[in-house]
Amino acid sequence: MTLRVNGKLHHIGVGRTHARTHVILLIQDLHVRIANAVTGELLRELTINPERDYQGQ
């Protein structure tokens, strides 16, 4: 998925197992939580590194 932070795009890897899954992004500053929109399961939690475009798993 892609997220714009301070005018710059950052690509976040979530994994192929979650392809086409509807998600909810909870964002506070550079801290991001990605949750399944249906079940509420936390899929990923990370802090965006502003110096990298791709935020790998």
Side-chain angles (χ1 to χ4, degrees):
M1 78 183 43
T2 303
L3 176 65
R4 185 180 301 272
V5 177
N6 296 327
K8 186 175 179 185
L9 292 177
H10 296 278
H11 305 284
I12 302 171
V14 181
R16 285 188 182 259
T17 57
H18 303 295
R20 305 220 186 272
T21 300
H22 292 260
V23 296
I24 295 174
L25 296 174
L26 303 169
I27 305 165
Q28 182 179 11
D29 298 323
L30 295 177
H31 187 75
V32 178
R33 290 181 184 179
I34 303 170
N36 184 314
V38 176
T39 64
E41 173 191 6
L42 184 63
L43 303 178
R44 179 147 188 221
E45 186 171 1
L46 72 143
T47 301
I48 297 288
N49 179 348
E51 296 179 7
R52 299 184 65 195
D53 290 336
Y54 179 70
Q55 310 292 313
Q57 293 180 330

